[in-house]
Amino acid sequence: MNLRRLLLISVPYLWLTALFLVPFLIVVKISLSTTAIAIPPYTPTLDLAQGWAGFKDFLSQLSFDNFTFLTQDDLYWKAYLSSLQIAALSTLFTLIVAYPIAYGMARAPDEWRPTLLMLIILPFWTSFLIRVYAWMGILSDEGLLNQFLLWLGVISSPLHIMNTSKAVYIGIVYTYLPFMILPIYAALDKMDDSLNEAAVDLGASRLSAFWLVTLPMSRPGVIAGCFLVFIPALGEYVIPQLLGGSKTLMIGKVLWDEFFSNRDWPVASAVAVVLLVILIVPIVLFQRNQQKQQEAES
Amino acid sequence: MNKRLSWFNVTSLSLGFAFLYLPMLILIFYSFNASKLVTVWAGFSTKWYVALMHDQPFLDAAWVTLKIAVSSSTLATVLGTMAAITLVRMGRFPGRTLFSGMIYAPLVMPDVITGLSLLLLFIAIGLDRGIFTIMLAHTTFSMCYVSVVVSSRLLTFDRSLEEASMDLGASAFTTFRLVTLPIILPAVVSGWLLAFTLSLDDLVIASFTTGPSSTTLPIKIFSAVRLGVSPEINALSTLMITVVAVGVVSASLISKRAIIKQRREEQEGERV
């Protein structure tokens, strides 16, 4: 029994240690190394054969130079700031688009709901890459949106949306919409409508009943949805690469280029470490929010 | 909630679903376009599908992707289920906090960081990069999703069933096989499907952990669409969307029928 228990725990434990924890420690280590023209392209390399002396020697060669470099070159902090801005604004836009949809779903007749839910989840199962790609043909200068607006006569010359940050906003709202709709819908679905009726009976207008009753009741869902969009949007690579063009700076793209184009592994690792430090704040807040929710329910 | 839909609800639902589905419908529509220019309609044609069927690099990439997806999702389901049982059933053991941290952290880790760290590991231990390393990478992040899905099922089910089985003399393994597994099976299956889709879909982690000889379908699509819109990719996308839509719709019909059947049985049970 005890052997079986040990086996059950240790197999996934060792797997995650070897393929999640150790790789991450390697990133931290390389972020403290210096670039070298060698294979692998950084120094120092840890040589365990030299024993304790080798390890001390290794420690003395580590430096924070890459992190100071990140603060000196304004490319990096601009990329971090613009990632934060794009992630925050697109989370807000996603909320604005998602809320009325979730609200409509929660008010829909019971027999429609499974179908509506399935229609929200279905895009999640289809390829992310394809959903982003679908917008390339729509947003380009000679794309369908511009053709349509020109035909309507709303605009006289094509709008430049593709290869700007506007296209990135649209891409993020589109691909992350289900992550926002589902938690809001779940919160609204649990709500007892007699609360709303009570507010109306007591003389509130429908709008103020919504504002004073429904909206506060859906707050946990709104908060969860915002984190579920903000956290992955911050490190997004595919959307800015395909829709944002070369002028839209996002940190995921900078990391990718630093690694694949510049082959500067230590700087790429430092960029990754800083991104993770930034992400810890929303992740901890999200976990606290989820825990509070669970406690409130039980 | 209220069951009366106002005009506002109807409008927001219609606009919302139009926003979600129009881009994909446009993509499907233009995959039947005879013109190479994606924005100009030049008559109906299926020639891009024919071209796709003869595009050997694409077919090879699809085969590589499928191999990785099947193997990584199967392995991830086994490991993820073990991890879920460890988290929910094993109580305290040394390093439990670290373990649950390692289960949840990959879910929120940006793909670029996961990819970078795994690549640096594979280089450090001198592992040749290719299908095998992508499979390892996919297994690692998918097993965390599987374990979250399975552990939520484990948390809600009635443990007295397991205790009854043990009291009646079944061994721990027999109890798992005959009682626990059938109950958590729907969660295990959805975990597998989730892992399979995540693997099919992944571009960033595969790009980091691949070698020169193995290209997956997302990598192939990505390098093609970076150059702009192409009708062949539209045809490929249409095929992929169709497969997913058929799968999801039939899965939801099956589960709906199961619910109806269950309700009917419950009603009959009440009558007796």
Side-chain angles (χ1 to χ4, degrees):
Chain A
M1 177 61 205
N2 258 330
L3 186 73
R4 196 175 277 148
R5 180 184 148 108
L6 188 71
L7 202 69
L8 182 68
I9 296 177
S10 59
V11 172
Y13 208 127
L14 289 178
W15 182 285
L16 284 174
T17 309
L19 285 147
F20 178 75
L21 192 63
V22 171
F24 181 65
L25 294 177
I26 295 177
V27 171
V28 175
K29 192 224 118 184
I30 292 181
S31 73
L32 297 170
S33 311
T34 34
T35 318
I37 303 171
I39 297 170
Y42 56 85
T43 117
T45 44
L46 180 57
D47 189 1
L48 287 175
Q50 286 173 24
W52 178 238
F55 186 65
K56 269 209 310 217
D57 187 41
F58 162 77
L59 278 186
S60 67
Q61 284 187 55
L62 292 178
S63 75
F64 284 93
D65 286 358
N66 298 308
F67 292 95
T68 11
F69 175 68
L70 290 192
T71 57
Q72 281 157 0
D73 194 328
D74 58 355
L75 166 77
Y76 300 101
W77 61 261
K78 270 186 187 156
Y80 283 114
L81 282 182
S82 108
S83 293
L84 281 170
Q85 188 197 345
I86 289 176
L89 275 179
S90 44
T91 304
L92 181 68
F93 296 147
T94 314
L95 176 62
I96 295 170
V97 176
Y99 201 97
I101 301 174
Y103 187 57
M105 281 171 66
R107 287 172 64 104
D110 276 342
E111 61 271 24
W112 290 16
R113 287 188 193 190
T115 314
L116 291 176
L117 259 182
M118 188 200 73
L119 284 172
I120 294 292
I121 295 168
L122 192 119
F124 168 79
W125 292 95
T126 57
S127 166
F128 180 81
L129 191 55
I130 287 174
R131 280 183 289 148
V132 177
Y133 165 69
W135 283 94
M136 291 175 71
I138 298 173
L139 296 177
S140 64
D141 284 2
E142 61 280 8
L144 291 161
L145 183 69
N146 274 320
Q147 283 184 24
F148 181 65
L149 292 176
L150 284 170
W151 176 78
L152 278 181
V154 183
I155 52 171
S156 51
S157 61
L159 301 169
H160 299 293
I161 302 174
M162 192 63 188
N163 295 334
T164 68
S165 53
K166 280 178 229 136
V168 177
Y169 290 125
I170 295 173
I172 294 178
V173 172
Y174 182 69
T175 46
Y176 290 114
L177 195 59
F179 292 111
M180 186 70 92
I181 293 178
L182 292 174
I184 298 178
Y185 167 75
L188 287 171
D189 190 41
K190 266 186 279 179
M191 201 185 132
D192 188 351
D193 195 51
S194 53
L195 292 171
N196 250 326
E197 280 161 20
V200 174
D201 285 348
L202 291 169
S205 69
R206 291 237 54 115
L207 199 66
S208 58
F210 173 81
W211 188 252
L212 294 172
V213 180
T214 310
L215 204 57
M217 294 291 285
S218 64
R219 215 182 70 166
V222 171
I223 294 174
C226 285
F227 281 120
L228 286 175
V229 176
F230 180 80
I231 293 169
L234 196 63
E236 188 53 58
Y237 168 74
V238 176
I239 297 173
Q241 179 64 44
L242 288 182
L243 301 176
S246 53
K247 269 181 253 158
T248 311
L249 265 184
M250 275 191 92
I251 202 65
K253 229 173 79 178
V254 170
L255 194 160
W256 179 288
D257 292 339
E258 208 60 67
F259 191 84
F260 284 110
S261 313
N262 300 350
R263 306 213 132 263
D264 194 336
W265 295 11
V267 169
S269 303
V271 168
V273 171
V274 174
L275 172 58
L276 214 63
V277 170
I278 295 174
L279 271 172
I280 285 174
V281 179
I283 289 171
V284 168
L285 287 176
F286 176 59
Q287 271 222 316
R288 262 203 210 143
N289 180 57
Q290 294 300 94
Q291 260 170 7
K292 233 167 54 188
Q293 255 336 92
Q294 271 173 3
E295 278 161 21
E297 270 162 30
S298 62
Chain B
M1 288 289 295
N2 203 324
K3 299 298 176 308
R4 270 174 301 128
L5 281 174
S6 66
W7 64 267
F8 175 76
N9 296 139
V10 175
T11 321
S12 53
L13 279 178
S14 339
L15 284 179
F17 283 103
F19 175 65
L20 271 178
Y21 283 92
L22 260 184
M24 283 193 256
L25 292 177
I26 291 171
L27 198 73
I28 293 170
F29 182 74
Y30 276 95
S31 73
F32 296 105
N33 188 0
S35 160
K36 192 165 175 57
L37 290 168
V38 186
T39 47
V40 184
W41 179 254
F44 180 85
S45 158
T46 51
K47 67 178 176 191
W48 304 115
Y49 290 88
V50 178
L52 193 66
M53 288 304 137
H54 292 96
D55 195 332
Q56 200 54 44
F58 259 108
L59 296 177
D60 291 344
W63 181 233
V64 167
T65 311
L66 207 61
K67 274 196 281 194
I68 294 171
V70 169
S71 53
S72 74
S73 56
T74 307
L75 194 53
T77 306
V78 175
L79 287 168
T81 307
M82 288 172 91
I85 295 171
T86 302
L87 274 181
V88 179
R89 289 296 156 80
M90 288 298 134
R92 284 166 187 278
F93 56 88
R96 193 185 187 283
T97 319
L98 176 66
F99 185 70
S100 71
M102 289 196 297
I103 292 287
Y104 289 105
L107 305 178
V108 287
M109 193 70 107
D111 286 353
V112 276
I113 298 183
T114 310
L116 175 74
S117 65
L118 281 165
L119 172 60
L120 294 176
L121 170 80
F122 295 146
I123 290 172
I125 60 173
L127 197 60
D128 274 340
R129 275 160 289 141
I131 294 182
F132 181 62
T133 46
I134 304 177
M135 201 273 289
L136 287 180
H138 284 183
T139 306
T140 307
F141 75 82
S142 329
M143 72 174 273
C144 301
Y145 285 89
V146 174
S147 118
V148 170
V149 173
V150 174
S151 58
S152 69
R153 182 77 191 97
L154 276 173
L155 278 171
T156 52
F157 101 66
D158 190 358
R159 282 201 78 172
S160 56
L161 291 170
E162 282 177 342
E163 281 156 15
S165 153
M166 303 275 255
D167 285 349
L168 292 169
S171 69
F173 184 69
T174 315
T175 304
F176 176 76
R177 196 164 52 91
L178 295 176
V179 180
T180 318
L181 193 60
I183 296 177
I184 63 170
L185 196 62
V188 173
V189 171
S190 29
W192 187 88
L193 282 172
L194 186 61
F196 184 77
T197 340
L198 288 169
S199 171
L200 278 189
D201 211 16
D202 168 64
L203 165 76
V204 174
I205 294 171
S207 303
F208 273 99
T209 51
T210 188
S213 57
S214 41
T215 306
T216 67
L217 203 53
I219 296 178
K220 196 91 193 132
I221 295 174
F222 185 64
S223 58
V225 302
R226 273 172 99 161
L227 305 171
V229 182
S230 107
E232 217 176 297
I233 299 289
N234 281 13
L236 179 66
S237 310
T238 305
L239 293 177
M240 288 168 78
I241 293 171
T242 314
V243 170
V244 169
V246 169
V248 171
V249 171
S250 48
S252 82
L253 284 179
I254 291 168
S255 74
K256 200 174 170 185
R257 193 173 298 166
I259 291 169
I260 292 172
K261 196 178 147 203
Q262 199 184 343
R263 269 191 203 154
R264 196 176 298 152
E265 276 166 8
E266 276 165 13
Q267 278 169 358
E268 274 164 16
E270 274 163 25
R271 238 174 275 145
V272 173

